[in-house]
Amino acid sequence: MFYSYNYVAMKAESSSSDTITFLGTAGARIMVANQILASGGLWLNLSGTEILIDPGPGCIVQSSKRKLRAEKLSAIILSHRHLDHSADINIMVEAMTQGGFKPHGWLFAPADALDTEPVLFSYLRSYLEGIEILKEGKSYSIGNIAFATPIRHIHPVETYGMSFKTAEHTFAYITDSRHFDGLCHSYGAELLIINVVFLEPRPPIDHLSLPDAEHIIAELKPKVAILTHFGMSMWRAKPWEIAQRLSQQTGVKVLAARDGMRFDLSQLNNT
Ligand SMILES: [Zn+2]
């Protein structure tokens, strides 16, 4: 009797909380190729709806290690087809659908991740409930969770960031992009996750640098900003120290993501 009461209480608690688990914080080739940091993407649990974003190399290892259960996923979202965001898409679809024996779940991806050279093997398509193509300015839903892809990023392949709305919170994910006017205006939210690859701007390469991130945070003033997807220059400069400095400079609480870090969106209520 006592046991079942506790079980119900535990279930209620776990299904009402909103969390984001960082299955990796590595960005760019050398960090990912050497696994200096992990590169498994983001695992969302939003009031019990579980969503995986950008399953890069090692996602299956990082998620299993943390007892995150792929078969509970309702959807997998790819911001773009680059390997550090999509390498484990096939195994994660296989795991989500238990080898195809329990077909379910949705895949969201830009058209160019699926057309001429699809990142998903064709035999896995039938394991899914469906595939939705991401487009600029469109909104989507997964259960009671809504998300939008407000603007196409400037990056060598078709790329979209996302802004999410849950019953209680909003958060945005600014994935890989060159900085451009209009990028930050699309991502107003309580929590902002930003992929910051470079410490200093490297103009020919379409990635955000630390000064870009500072500009975006100062402009959008979220309650909390989380830096992630670190290239070697960011990693050597100690992202946690950078985050502390940025907090002082912008007045926004800035955190540096760590591999395995779980951010509970209820923390936004106290900020
Ligand atoms: Zn990329």
Side-chain angles (χ1 to χ4, degrees), residues 28 155 176-179 197-198 205-209 212 229:
H155 203 55
D176 298 1
S177 184
R178 164 187 293 272
H179 189 260
V197 171
F198 298 132
I205 306 177
D206 292 334
H207 273 297
L208 295 175
S209 65
D212 298 327
H229 212 62

Side-chain angles (χ1 to χ4, degrees), residues 169-170 190-191 223-224 263-271:
H169 297 290
T170 56
E190 292 169 279
L191 167 67
K223 285 185 177 174
V224 176
F263 183 85
D264 192 320
L265 269 65
S266 66
Q267 290 176 58
L268 297 167
N269 302 337
N270 324 316
T271 310

